Amino acid sequence: MPLFHSVPVRIPVSRLRGTKFSIVGKDKNQIEISFSRKWHHSAWNSTVPLNVDKRYILRRGSAGFYTYTILERPEGWPDFEMDQVRIVLKPDSEMFHFMAISDKIQRVMPTAEDRKLGRQLAYSEAVLLTHPGNPALKGEVDDKYEYSIENRDDKVHGWMSKKLGVGIWVISPSDEYVAGGPLKQDLTSHVGPILLSMFTSTHYTGKDLNTRYRDGKPWRKVYGPVFVYLNSVSGRPRRSYRKLWRDAKSHMKKEVRKWPYGFLQSEHFPCADQRGSVAGQLLVGDKYVNQTLMTANNAYVGLAAPGKAGSWQTDAKGYQFWTRANEEGYFLIKNVRPGNYNLYAFVPGIIGDYKFEANITIKPGSETDLGAIVYHPPRNGPTLWEIGVPDRTASEFFIPDPKPFLTNKLYTHILSDKFRQYGLWDRYTELYPHHDLVYRIGNSKCHQDWFFAHVPRKTGNKTYTAATWQIVFKLRKPSFAGNYTLHLALASAHASELQVRFNDKSVKKPHFSTGLIGKDNAVARHGIHGLYRLYSIPVPRRLLRRGSNRIYLTQSRSNDAFRGIMYDYVRFEGPRELLVDREG
């Protein structure tokens, strides 16, 4: 039972300052220090109800330092919410001007002063650079969300100084302690200069991410360690950026190979021989695609807190361990902390989420082999038509060019990241000023004719109207054998309601509605996906016609420009007994 009343503690920001310093380990090769703080009920509304232990490790011969944090809540402590947990580093703004996130995402950045002198756009994070100190940056848009990246790819990022020939990097050798699984997007580095190591945030998920701590339940989590790496080069400055980046990547790979570290002094961080593993082979059974079982080529397979299929993408409290299956569907998840888990998976090219039926208990040194396991994805009949590719993103759909005076020049050269440009939501109205999108099965092409985001259509100065898209298709003769099925896989939703009507746009009550869903905010934050959602909608034969049919998709919430949906994939299936009806 909670020891305190259940009104959540609300403290906007806490730097989790330590009140006690100690040396927890020291020898000739390393030193580990702790800055800790114990919470007391007398600090009810002034201090976050957490026990905090921030650790720093210096090792002989290592060009940098390791840091991790242990957060703890004993049983009975008061409710509170923790929407962000992060490490923030701020290099010297006079020295560091070049930022690198990946092989492609690298550039000279504006300064904080440039942003102050610029013009704010639709929200405070987006600024048009009007008077930058570097004239080459004039007319560009700067927004920290343009540099977000998925957890699976966030291994190293940082800043470089051409003047000094040095770099500073955040290296994340594992993402076991990061919220939301491998596809969760989050901030990296941005103007300041700022380096971030994001452990938990509601970016691209909203409050669907479970960041609420309730009912006095005990909890503890170790965030990190991450490695803050410093490097330097000599020689011609013109080539220093390339050399520093290559060296940072090389060192990142060394840190990954050393994981899990064996030199931490905390009993709450298990080393390699205190962990376990899970192996198996994932197969896919879908007789409408193949009469025999198919291998789950390149599937994502992971262990996370017990829950429903797909619940891993909203879990922030536990640890997650993910791997990729090989071409034959074989997988091995190594270095798993002891605990109770569910095994989850999703397969590129296949809709839905898989969950192994039994809980899996990991003990120190355990090696669990599940053998062959089979995922039967949602399927009610043969595919009559489909739009897109089931990959949990909207990247295959039409992404417009930005307005020429609202660009980030970096992404004009990286077409695969064009979705990161500012203001793309307004391009929908320019393309469809009077009538909404109509997609014709058999004639339209998704990369040309299906806009990447189903957003409201602008009707005036900050006024919008709900957009209704149409899918037009033909049926030779609707079958009486059973229901048809419309699968709608959504890549993102923000404060939206998707209403579906069949052949009658005017009917007041939609044949299906998602209700109000999502706080992903992926449209405004230049994402190409947020949280994955799948709806399988039965379609009675009475709603269909012989010949031409229309499906009306209405995103009914239109209060502002950013309420919208991104589709991942749309599929229309015939009844289970239907053998041949593939018109359109």
Side-chain angles (χ1 to χ4, degrees), residues 145 148 185-186 202-206 520 522 525-527 529-531:
Y145 291 105
S148 296
Q185 300 162 100
D186 225 319
T202 55
H203 301 142
Y204 303 96
T205 64
D520 301 2
R525 289 176 170 169
H526 321 294
H529 71 85
L531 293 177

Side-chain angles (χ1 to χ4, degrees), residues 9 11 37-49 78:
V9 174
I11 298 173
R37 186 205 70 199
K38 296 288 187 180
W39 184 80
H40 191 268
H41 64 85
S42 61
W44 184 272
N45 276 322
S46 60
T47 307
V48 175

Side-chain angles (χ1 to χ4, degrees), residues 282 284 296-301 322-326 329 331 345-348:
L282 182 63
V284 178
N297 180 14
N298 216 28
Y300 290 79
V301 187
W322 288 87
T323 191
R324 300 294 293 273
N326 67 12
F331 62 88
F346 59 95
V347 187

Side-chain angles (χ1 to χ4, degrees), residues 33-303:
I33 62 175
S34 165
F35 295 89
S36 61
R37 186 205 70 199
K38 296 288 187 180
W39 184 80
H40 191 268
H41 64 85
S42 61
W44 184 272
N45 276 322
S46 60
T47 307
V48 175
L50 287 169
N51 286 338
V52 179
D53 189 354
K54 297 194 290 186
R55 303 285 185 96
Y56 298 87
I57 302 172
L58 289 171
R59 307 197 78 210
R60 186 177 299 277
S62 183
F65 64 90
Y66 298 86
T67 181
Y68 66 104
T69 298
I70 306 164
L71 301 183
E72 180 183 39
R73 286 171 48 79
E75 184 176 6
W77 279 23
D79 294 351
F80 89 121
E81 299 180 11
M82 189 164 59
D83 290 351
Q84 281 198 47
V85 183
R86 64 186 186 177
I87 295 172
V88 183
L89 300 170
K90 194 176 187 309
D92 190 327
S93 60
E94 297 296 320
M95 299 296 181
F96 290 87
H97 301 289
F98 195 91
M99 185 182 78
I101 307 298
S102 69
D103 286 337
K104 294 182 178 180
I105 304 177
Q106 303 183 12
R107 63 165 298 161
V108 173
M109 293 291 287
T111 66
E113 184 65 20
D114 293 339
R115 286 181 54 86
K116 290 179 181 178
L117 296 174
R119 177 166 64 86
Q120 181 180 314
L121 298 173
Y123 43 85
S124 59
E125 292 87 349
V127 170
L128 181 65
L129 303 174
T130 56
H131 299 87
N134 181 348
L137 302 179
K138 186 175 181 178
E140 288 199 63
V141 173
D142 179 73
D143 184 338
K144 64 183 180 181
Y145 291 105
E146 292 177 326
Y147 305 105
S148 296
I149 203 166
E150 293 173 338
N151 288 343
R152 61 178 178 175
D153 298 321
D154 186 13
K155 297 299 183 186
V156 57
H157 62 87
W159 288 80
M160 292 171 272
S161 169
K162 180 185 289 188
K163 182 177 181 180
L164 299 177
V166 300
I168 179 169
W169 310 93
V170 171
I171 292 177
S172 303
S174 171
D175 55 7
E176 68 178 45
Y177 43 78
V178 181
L183 301 187
K184 168 80 167 66
Q185 300 162 100
D186 225 319
L187 298 171
T188 53
S189 292
H190 59 81
V191 167
I194 295 290
L195 290 92
L196 297 172
S197 181
M198 300 294 300
F199 299 134
T200 296
S201 86
T202 55
H203 301 142
Y204 303 96
T205 64
K207 292 294 287 185
D208 287 332
L209 190 76
N210 185 12
T211 61
R212 299 173 180 86
Y213 296 78
R214 296 287 188 268
D215 303 324
K217 294 180 180 178
W219 172 83
R220 179 195 300 120
K221 190 171 183 179
V222 178
Y223 292 100
V226 300
F227 184 56
V228 179
Y229 178 55
L230 306 173
N231 61 356
S232 63
V233 296
S234 58
R236 287 180 288 182
R238 188 173 59 182
R239 296 184 178 180
S240 62
Y241 293 152
R242 184 183 305 173
K243 290 180 180 180
L244 289 166
W245 171 246
R246 286 177 177 173
D247 177 72
K249 285 200 305 177
S250 176
H251 197 87
M252 174 270 290
K253 293 175 183 178
K254 293 178 183 178
E255 296 296 331
V256 170
R257 287 193 293 269
K258 290 190 292 186
W259 187 271
Y261 299 133
F263 52 80
L264 275 67
Q265 296 300 306
S266 173
E267 63 179 335
H268 303 306
F269 184 85
C271 56
D273 61 2
Q274 297 171 322
R275 299 182 177 226
S277 65
V278 176
Q281 183 189 26
L282 182 63
L283 304 172
V284 178
D286 186 343
K287 66 180 182 179
Y288 289 98
V289 176
N290 196 317
Q291 288 296 316
T292 61
L293 292 176
M294 301 173 287
T295 58
N297 180 14
N298 216 28
Y300 290 79
V301 187
L303 294 171

